[in-house]
Amino acid sequence: MRWNLDRPSGRPASGGSKVLGIGMACALFPVVVGLLVLLAWGLYYGFTRSPTASAGGLLVLCSLSGVARVVLQLRLLRRGVAVPGVVTRVDRKWMDGEVGGYWVYTSHVRFSVPGSEERTVKGPATEHTRVGDPCTVHYDPRRPSRAAVRETRGGLAGLIVFVALFVAATVWYVLWAVGGGRWSP
């Protein structure tokens, strides 16, 4: 999809992409409804029959949330407009762990949207990230508040792997719970 940035509304340049978007929404609607019905069934079954199944329903909800985040990030990185950004601040927060702790770094990146004011977005950082470092920001021209800093050190790949493993574990758990707490293929 190509964006017509000359139009103040920031809408797609051709009407065909609008039809494609409506078609995609129509195709995904039954999937989303089916997943919501499955979630509602899992919670109902869990609260009436087994707390194990309700935990499975909550795992399904968490899995859907992770999948949605990955899909939105990938879509933004593929279809969003890339602009240069500059790191304006790096936050460092200590996280306690079981065997010690570790630092979590977050960068604040300033970028400019054509025809609008400057914006700031939070992004990933490491201990080597410094104020003034250049980076690439991808934003949605229809909603410039939806932006993401391009991750270059495998951050998105790590998120995809984590979500895939979490979804696989959730599917196994739900099948185990439906099978009465024993694995029977």
Side-chain angles (χ1 to χ4, degrees), residues 127-148:
E127 64 271 7
H128 304 294
T129 305
R130 301 286 179 250
V131 172
D133 285 354
C135 58
T136 303
V137 177
H138 293 263
Y139 75 94
D140 183 349
R142 292 181 292 173
R143 290 179 57 192
S145 60
R146 186 182 298 162

Side-chain angles (χ1 to χ4, degrees), residues 92-98 100-105:
R92 186 172 84 158
K93 182 179 179 185
W94 180 257
M95 301 296 287
D96 288 325
E98 292 180 14
Y102 55 94
W103 290 104
V104 175
Y105 296 88

